[in-house]
Amino acid sequence: MERLSVGYKYEEVLPPWSHLGYPQPGRSSPGAGHDWALTEPTHLVLPEIRHQLPGASAPGVQLLYPPPARRGLFAAPESLCEANVPSPENVRSDLCRMVSYSTVLMAISKFDDFSRDLCVQSLLEIMDMFCDRLSCHGKAEECIGLCRALMSALNWLLRCAAFYAEKVKDTLEQTAAEGQLKMCLERLEKMLNSTKNRALIHIAKLEEISSWSAVEQSLVKLGEHLNSLGNSPLRSQADDCISLIKSIPTMLSVRSEQLNKSSFPTVHAVVLLEGTMNLTGDTQPLVEQLMMVKRMQRIPSPLFVLEIWKACFVGLIESPEGTEELKWTAFTFLKIPQVLVKLKKYPQGDKMSLKEPFGTLCTQSFAEDVNCAFEFLLKLTPLLDKADERCNCNCMNLLLQECSKQGLLSEANMNNLMDKRTADREDAPHLKSAENANIQPNPGLILRAEPTVTNILKTMDADHSKSPEGLLGVLGHMLSGKSLDLLLAAAAATGKLKSFARKFIKLNEFTKNISAENSKSAPVRALLFDISFLMLCHVAQTYGSEMILSELSPASEVPFFETWMLTCMPEEGKILNPDHPCFRPDSTKVESLVALLNNSSEMKLVQMKWHEACLSISAAILEILNAWENGVLTFESIQKITDNIKGKVCSMAVCAVAWLVAHVRMLGLDEREKSLQMIRQLATPLYSDNTLQFYNERVVIMSSILEHMCADVLQQTATQIKFPSTGMDTIPYWNLLPPKKPIKEVLTSVFTKVLEKGWVDSCSIHIFDTLLHMGGVYWFCNNLVKELLKETRKEHTLRAVELLYAIFCLDMQQLTLTLLGHILPNLLTDSSKWHTLMDPPGKALAKLSVWCALSSYSFHNRSQASARQKKRHREDIEDYISLFPLDDTQPSKLMRLLSSNEEDSNTLSSPNRSMSSSLSASQLHTVSMRDPLNRVLANLFLLISSILGAKTAGTHTQFVQWFMEECVDCLEQGSHGSILQFMPFTMVSELVKVSTMSSPKIVLAITDLSLPLGRRVAAKAIAAL
């Protein structure tokens, strides 16, 4: 048969006996856009017959109907003039009404004879009819079929484009090939410009990895042939299409960064909190916390690094003189560079280029970010000058050198920045005054102390019995001036403090060995015991007792110091019983110790078991105190006894005062005088020539230890005891709460001041921590949420959220459980409180809730509670199981709350609303619901699902929408490990009904695409958009 003219190009595609264009009896035509317009099953509509296109050996398009008797519609050109001949428009219209989009796309993708230009043009025109408005309202399997078909069509278009790009090289066919290539690229562009189409292809990629591999191969083949196009518009169009395709796997990872802000108080507060309260903590949790904030708030990397440095300098400037200043110096110059090294290695999701969609570590770009951050920091001259004045050195240059050592800055950039800062300092002559010339700057001392710590650890590993005198000399140097605090700060900032403490515990245990001791070696052993004991006490008080505790097996013996510290040493939040058995050792040892203290002119040293003396001193002091109160002993006798206690080893005085502190707490006001007088006697140094070596240095440490121990008791009894001054504040941030002022007023006033300033200072952090400890988690969280809901200006609410998130880092796990498990359900189920959830405070609370939920869920399985959090009451899991019962047949308190405010309470309390039937990804991932946080999140999403499906709407419905939008905004691609895995799958169909949530990207973000069910739910929701 003759080929028709170009105007009748459908002859190439459709067989001559096709009756397309003629309506069949009994077939309905519901209109375009419906996937399965026919009521007949697929196998009747699309029989298994495939027909060859005329004149071709390749398989053609599948028949749309079983062939009737041959009618010869295309038998002769003249027959086309008849009235009943189907026009191209009729063919397009009937295609849309009679078959599914996926069927047409799959049929097109099976045609591979690209040399037949008219056939290809016809197929491209058929694709034009619907590729930019695909939809499917059928079952989930049919929607997944549409995804697969679309990816097959994408691959077909790429193969087609590659074929014509190769033909462009042939000069004889160049013009025709360029025309065909242009048509292919236009359809590719049209298909890929639809976010919906890219989302469906994304699902298909996860569903059929092999098919996506074929797409990637086609991309490579097309790229190979593009060079022949030169710089033509076709080349640019093809590159755009390739970029869009390569972006499909990471379409949810492309995030815009905030460019309208220059300060980020959350980063500032997180760094301040870490530097003030957690110098000994591992760097990895801090890195993850900072990266979480960076991602949630979309902070550009240079400004992110800048904010870290700003917080460090502010902390340095405002830190109290003494130990806290040294801790901040170590944090800034030793720990933060290590944090930046880990940030450099951290996968920078926002740094991925479209040409490398699977991401690489952007080490080079991070170095540029650090350099850019320092350039910004140089502009903050007043901040740098203030820090230089406080530290008496060029802080910026020391930091630059440290960063260069760690590979964070190139040498050229370091020199350039150092030159700029040196030039700036020339304009500040007060930084070079003569009075500061002789003061050694702390940053330089800390940087020198760090390698010294390593050397001391090596020295401590040696056999102590071989050269105890040499070891004593090393320890003596450590005690001089502020050397000990410098070394401890450097060890804490570099993660070596626990190892440091273990060495001193080992040394303390070594002093138990008294075999063959003579008068020459006895003083050395006494000093080794005393110095190691005092150092360990100092470490426990300054950095927390968890630095001392070892992880021993049950069979191993607990070291003496650990036993004493756990049972006898006063600490914040630990109340000791003076009548506890730990204070009542063997009576014979107590009697001999009392006799020794009372009758001897000084303590004996040879063969003295110092650890037994320290355990017995509490009972001995009780006997001595009773004798004094009953008139058996005079004040002069008490002075002699206390001089004996503190004359040789200071550790006995520490143990005696530890018991006296516990004893005084139990006495009435009129009974405390003699006990307090004895504490005063023990705290006063002994001025005598008959003391052991390094006595003055040991007394300084002892006084600091005793001051910490007695602080609470002295405040309660309004007693003053003058401890030997070291010229610095030994207990910083002590007694910060104003007297006679309700703690709620204190909380409100401090938060108001912080909000006005726009950042949290170290003093405020300590006040918040004290209030959290005093008021409890619920009181603290509830009152701060009330303060947030009072704000009515958008900029204030956003700032409040950023600050509250940082404050909640004091105990993120417990505060999140309270916020999501108690406060939010109460607000969402009590109609009288719905008005408080209006925009902007309601939207701000939704943001805070999501941030807290994401942070807690990310870290609760990996990080352990810090020491300060362990001291606080921990919420018991039973509290949450009573609120959210594990037995799904039992109506929970939450469900009762819901049903009390719902018109049809049966809907919410019925079994189909229980967790077992509200299937979520977490159940398929077998997440443990015995974990309180998992339980709370699951029930919160159950509540959200109920609100979305309820008959009444209000501000609580709007709150739910804001909550879900923020979840999507903060999450990265692949949410199977996130809080959204607790969302019931049935919620997706409810959410897409909300106008702001009806987006393909949002559907992809809220469904767990790692699960087959998640992909089907997503495909069904997106295909229906």
Side-chain angles (χ1 to χ4, degrees):
M1 119 182 175
E2 296 181 5
R3 183 183 292 268
L4 295 180
S5 62
V6 174
Y8 303 105
K9 51 186 172 292
Y10 286 91
E11 173 269 335
E12 292 283 349
V13 185
L14 301 175
W17 27 262
S18 171
H19 62 278
L20 280 181
Y22 296 91
Q24 278 196 318
R27 292 190 180 270
S28 61
S29 300
H34 289 266
D35 189 37
W36 285 106
L38 303 172
T39 56
E40 290 87 352
T42 311
H43 69 280
L44 294 181
V45 180
L46 297 171
E48 295 281 332
I49 305 170
R50 295 193 180 279
H51 293 264
Q52 302 292 332
L53 289 173
S57 59
V61 179
Q62 190 172 351
L63 274 184
L64 302 177
Y65 296 103
R70 188 178 179 97
R71 295 181 55 184
L73 292 179
F74 297 104
E78 58 271 15
S79 65
L80 294 171
C81 301
E82 299 177 11
N84 290 335
V85 172
S87 66
E89 289 74 18
N90 286 338
V91 172
R92 282 196 287 265
S93 175
D94 285 316
L95 270 173
C96 293
R97 286 198 294 267
M98 292 185 289
V99 292
S100 69
Y101 293 134
S102 57
T103 303
V104 176
L105 288 173
M106 289 302 289
I108 290 173
S109 64
K110 288 182 173 65
F111 178 76
D112 57 4
D113 187 1
F114 301 122
S115 61
R116 305 180 67 184
D117 295 351
L118 292 179
C119 290
V120 172
Q121 289 177 27
S122 302
L123 295 175
L124 291 175
E125 287 197 5
I126 291 175
M127 290 182 74
D128 263 347
M129 294 186 288
F130 51 79
C131 262
D132 57 341
R133 49 189 175 85
L134 291 173
S135 63
C136 177
H137 298 277
K139 296 178 181 179
E141 282 300 329
E142 294 165 7
C143 298
I144 284 287
L146 179 60
C147 296
R148 295 191 183 108
L150 192 57
M151 187 159 69
S152 296
L154 171 65
N155 192 28
W156 183 81
L157 283 171
L158 288 172
R159 288 166 51 222
C160 189
F163 176 82
Y164 290 116
E166 187 178 13
K167 283 186 72 175
V168 169
K169 300 175 187 176
D170 188 345
T171 52
L172 295 176
E173 299 187 39
Q174 183 176 5
T175 305
E178 285 182 350
Q180 291 290 99
L181 179 60
K182 183 180 179 183
M183 290 176 66
C184 289
L185 292 177
E186 283 173 353
R187 271 62 177 191
L188 256 179
E189 203 169 33
K190 187 176 181 181
M191 176 190 288
L192 294 169
N193 279 336
S194 164
T195 308
K196 178 178 176 178
N197 287 353
R198 295 204 307 277
L200 293 172
I201 294 169
H202 180 77
I203 294 171
K205 168 194 169 291
L206 298 172
E207 190 74 14
E208 291 187 351
I209 298 174
S210 58
S211 298
W212 179 254
S213 299
V215 171
E216 289 179 322
Q217 290 171 9
S218 300
L219 272 178
V220 172
K221 191 173 181 181
L222 176 59
E224 290 171 354
H225 298 309
L226 287 181
N227 293 330
S228 60
L229 299 178
N231 294 321
S232 66
L234 283 178
R235 173 66 184 267
S236 174
Q237 194 176 15
D239 286 339
D240 290 343
C241 291
I242 290 173
S243 295
L244 278 172
I245 295 168
K246 287 187 174 182
S247 72
I248 288 173
T250 57
M251 63 185 299
L252 296 181
S253 300
V254 180
R255 305 171 60 82
S256 60
E257 295 181 332
Q258 281 196 10
L259 299 175
N260 58 341
K261 288 182 66 179
S262 58
S263 64
F264 302 91
T266 307
V267 176
H268 189 102
V270 167
V271 173
L272 270 178
L273 177 64
E274 190 77 8
T276 305
M277 293 186 153
N278 198 25
L279 177 62
T280 58
D282 184 27
T283 54
Q284 190 59 33
L286 174 60
V287 167
E288 291 177 359
Q289 183 78 39
L290 288 170
M291 285 304 297
M292 174 74 73
V293 174
K294 180 180 185 293
R295 187 171 67 249
M296 290 191 302
Q297 298 188 15
R298 300 184 182 184
I299 307 173
S301 290
L303 297 182
F304 173 65
V305 178
L306 171 65
E307 200 65 46
I308 293 174
W309 288 129
K310 281 166 61 179
C312 288
F313 278 106
V314 169
L316 269 177
I317 292 165
E318 68 179 18
S319 60
E321 187 179 355
T323 307
E324 287 299 311
E325 183 182 358
L326 294 178
K327 286 163 77 172
W328 258 108
T329 307
F331 180 76
T332 302
F333 291 90
L334 293 178
K335 188 168 185 176
I336 288 298
Q338 292 299 323
V339 169
L340 290 179
V341 168
K342 288 198 173 184
L343 285 171
K344 175 182 176 180
K345 296 175 183 176
Y346 205 90
Q348 306 285 323
D350 52 344
K351 293 289 185 183
M352 293 181 187
S353 69
L354 293 178
K355 293 184 179 180
E356 294 175 333
F358 301 104
T360 55
L361 296 184
C362 304
T363 52
Q364 183 59 40
S365 63
F366 188 80
E368 291 168 3
D369 291 337
V370 172
N371 181 57
C372 187
F374 275 121
E375 291 281 5
F376 288 143
L377 188 61
L378 279 174
K379 294 178 169 51
L380 305 176
T381 308
L383 178 70
L384 297 179
D385 287 350
K386 190 76 175 172
D388 287 358
E389 188 177 359
R390 174 69 195 272
C391 297
N392 191 36
C393 66
N394 188 335
C395 294
M396 181 79 163
N397 283 9
L398 286 174
L399 265 184
L400 291 169
Q401 289 170 9
E402 197 62 25
C403 288
S404 179
K405 283 181 196 173
Q406 301 293 343
L408 297 167
L409 271 177
S410 67
E411 190 172 348
N413 285 338
M414 179 192 74
N415 292 331
N416 176 43
L417 292 164
M418 288 175 71
D419 291 344
K420 289 181 179 179
R421 178 58 189 154
T422 304
D424 281 348
R425 279 172 58 89
E426 295 297 328
D427 299 327
H430 63 279
L431 296 177
K432 298 182 177 181
S433 60
E435 62 190 44
N436 294 332
N438 296 324
I439 302 175
Q440 286 189 301
N442 285 334
L445 292 172
I446 281 286
L447 290 170
R448 288 203 297 274
E450 194 264 332
T452 307
V453 170
T454 306
N455 293 333
I456 289 174
L457 289 174
K458 290 179 182 176
T459 304
M460 297 287 290
D461 279 331
D463 186 354
H464 304 320
S465 61
K466 290 183 178 178
S467 178
E469 294 83 2
L471 180 59
L472 183 60
V474 173
L475 297 182
H477 284 299
M478 288 176 61
L479 296 178
S480 61
K482 56 183 179 183
S483 297
L484 179 60
D485 284 326
L486 277 166
L487 291 168
L488 293 179
T494 53
K496 297 173 184 171
L497 185 58
K498 200 167 181 72
S499 176
F500 204 79
R502 297 310 308 162
K503 305 290 184 189
F504 281 98
I505 284 182
K506 184 180 175 183
L507 173 62
N508 192 263
E509 287 294 293
F510 163 76
T511 59
K512 288 181 179 180
N513 182 18
I514 59 172
S515 60
E517 185 176 64
N518 55 38
S519 58
K520 183 180 178 182
S521 60
V524 175
R525 186 176 65 86
L527 283 170
L528 290 177
F529 173 85
D530 199 39
I531 291 172
S532 59
F533 186 95
L534 293 173
M535 282 185 175
L536 290 167
C537 279
H538 186 59
V539 168
Q541 288 184 336
T542 310
Y543 295 99
S545 56
E546 73 274 8
M547 289 293 107
I548 307 296
L549 298 176
S550 58
E551 298 173 1
L552 296 172
S553 61
S556 57
E557 183 184 354
V558 180
F560 154 70
F561 185 82
E562 283 192 44
T563 304
W564 179 84
M565 182 187 71
L566 290 172
T567 55
C568 306
M569 183 177 173
E571 284 185 280
E572 181 188 355
K574 183 166 84 176
I575 304 299
L576 298 173
N577 176 11
D579 298 323
H580 192 276
C582 69
F583 293 117
R584 298 287 178 269
D586 186 359
S587 58
T588 56
K589 292 177 181 177
V590 173
E591 289 171 8
S592 61
L593 180 59
V594 170
L596 181 64
L597 293 172
N598 192 29
N599 301 327
S600 304
S601 58
E602 61 181 35
M603 288 289 291
K604 73 165 189 171
L605 301 177
V606 180
Q607 300 287 311
M608 185 69 179
K609 295 181 179 180
W610 295 110
H611 60 288
E612 288 185 2
C614 286
L615 288 174
S616 303
I617 192 68
S618 54
I621 288 290
L622 176 60
E623 295 295 329
I624 294 165
L625 196 58
N626 287 336
W628 186 20
E629 288 175 343
N630 292 319
V632 177
L633 292 175
T634 62
F635 180 68
E636 288 73 21
S637 301
I638 296 299
Q639 278 186 313
K640 176 190 171 186
I641 290 170
T642 53
D643 286 351
N644 273 341
I645 291 173
K646 66 191 177 187
K648 297 296 182 185
V649 292
C650 297
S651 45
M652 281 182 66
V654 172
C655 295
V657 171
W659 178 83
L660 283 167
V661 166
H663 180 64
V664 169
R665 287 181 183 275
M666 302 300 171
L667 299 176
L669 286 173
D670 55 343
E671 301 172 319
R672 296 175 173 176
E673 183 182 348
K674 283 187 167 56
S675 298
L676 291 171
Q677 210 165 350
M678 190 172 280
I679 292 175
R680 191 177 285 109
Q681 286 294 318
L682 289 167
T684 306
L686 179 66
Y687 298 103
S688 167
D689 295 333
N690 201 22
T691 55
L692 292 178
Q693 198 176 2
F694 308 121
Y695 183 74
N696 291 335
E697 289 85 353
R698 288 183 288 128
V699 161
V700 170
I701 301 176
M702 179 191 77
S703 299
S704 170
I705 294 167
L706 297 185
E707 190 171 354
H708 274 88
M709 282 183 174
C710 299
D712 279 334
V713 166
L714 296 182
Q715 184 185 28
Q716 291 168 9
T717 58
T719 306
Q720 286 190 344
I721 294 179
K722 184 169 178 58
F723 294 92
S725 175
T726 57
M728 56 186 72
D729 186 5
T730 54
I731 312 181
Y733 307 115
W734 172 253
N735 200 19
L736 292 172
L737 298 185
K740 300 179 181 178
K741 189 173 181 180
I743 58 173
K744 184 177 179 182
E745 289 183 23
V746 177
L747 181 67
T748 304
S749 61
V750 174
F751 181 70
T752 303
K753 287 177 184 175
V754 163
L755 194 58
E756 287 173 358
K757 285 195 300 184
W759 56 280
V760 186
D761 57 276
S762 300
C763 186
S764 299
I765 286 174
H766 279 273
I767 293 175
F768 283 128
D769 189 55
T770 305
L771 291 171
L772 176 57
H773 185 69
M774 292 176 68
V777 177
Y778 180 82
W779 174 88
F780 187 80
C781 184
N782 189 41
N783 282 298
L784 284 177
V785 168
K786 285 179 181 177
E787 291 302 310
L788 171 62
L789 294 177
K790 287 179 186 175
E791 296 296 331
T792 54
R793 295 182 61 180
K794 184 177 179 181
E795 60 271 22
H796 284 182
T797 56
L798 183 57
R799 188 191 304 168
V801 167
E802 293 175 334
L803 293 170
L804 279 175
Y805 173 81
I807 293 167
F808 279 15
C809 287
L810 285 167
D811 197 346
M812 181 61 78
Q813 291 294 317
Q814 291 296 304
L815 287 164
T816 300
L817 285 173
T818 303
L819 177 63
L820 304 183
H822 294 278
I823 294 171
L824 278 191
N826 286 338
L827 287 171
L828 292 172
T829 55
D830 187 350
S831 57
S832 65
K833 296 177 182 175
W834 287 352
H835 67 282
T836 62
L837 298 176
M838 295 176 65
D839 192 19
K843 191 171 186 178
L845 179 58
K847 186 183 287 288
L848 175 65
S849 303
V850 172
W851 287 4
C852 290
L854 286 174
S855 295
S856 293
Y857 191 76
S858 296
F859 304 133
H860 87 295
N861 286 326
R862 287 177 288 171
S863 61
Q864 297 182 351
S866 69
R868 85 173 172 277
Q869 293 170 1
K870 287 175 182 173
K871 291 175 188 173
R872 206 170 288 124
H873 165 68
R874 315 305 299 161
E875 295 280 359
D876 190 77
I877 186 171
E878 295 302 325
D879 298 341
Y880 290 94
I881 290 181
S882 64
L883 182 63
F884 312 122
L886 286 167
D887 180 9
D888 293 323
T889 60
Q890 177 187 352
S892 68
K893 180 181 176 184
L894 177 65
M895 287 293 101
R896 291 197 299 273
L897 284 170
L898 290 171
S899 59
S900 64
N901 283 294
E902 177 63 29
E903 292 177 16
D904 183 7
S905 60
N906 294 326
T907 306
L908 294 170
S909 57
S910 62
N912 65 357
R913 278 288 178 180
S914 70
M915 287 183 61
S916 59
S917 59
S918 297
L919 187 64
S920 66
S922 62
Q923 289 164 297
L924 298 178
H925 286 300
T926 61
V927 173
S928 170
M929 284 302 159
R930 285 205 165 270
D931 183 277
L933 183 60
N934 294 347
R935 192 74 185 168
V936 165
L937 285 168
N939 280 274
L940 179 63
F941 277 105
L942 193 61
L943 170 57
I944 288 174
S945 179
S946 301
I947 291 172
L948 286 171
K951 297 177 183 178
T952 56
T955 49
H956 65 306
T957 316
Q958 183 70 56
F959 177 89
V960 166
Q961 179 183 326
W962 291 326
F963 183 91
M964 294 305 301
E965 286 175 358
E966 190 63 31
C967 282
V968 172
D969 214 30
C970 292
L971 285 175
E972 290 185 321
Q973 185 175 7
S975 58
H976 62 272
S978 77
I979 60 172
L980 284 178
Q981 67 178 313
F982 296 98
M983 184 186 77
F985 285 119
T986 52
M987 245 180 79
V988 178
S989 58
E990 297 288 345
L991 279 172
V992 293
K993 295 175 185 175
V994 181
S995 58
T996 55
M997 303 293 286
S998 58
S999 147
K1001 277 193 176 184
I1002 288 179
V1003 175
L1004 289 181
I1006 62 178
T1007 47
D1008 188 343
L1009 300 177
S1010 69
L1011 294 170
L1013 180 56
R1015 294 193 288 272
R1016 276 148 184 73
V1017 169
K1020 185 173 171 59
I1022 293 172
L1025 291 176

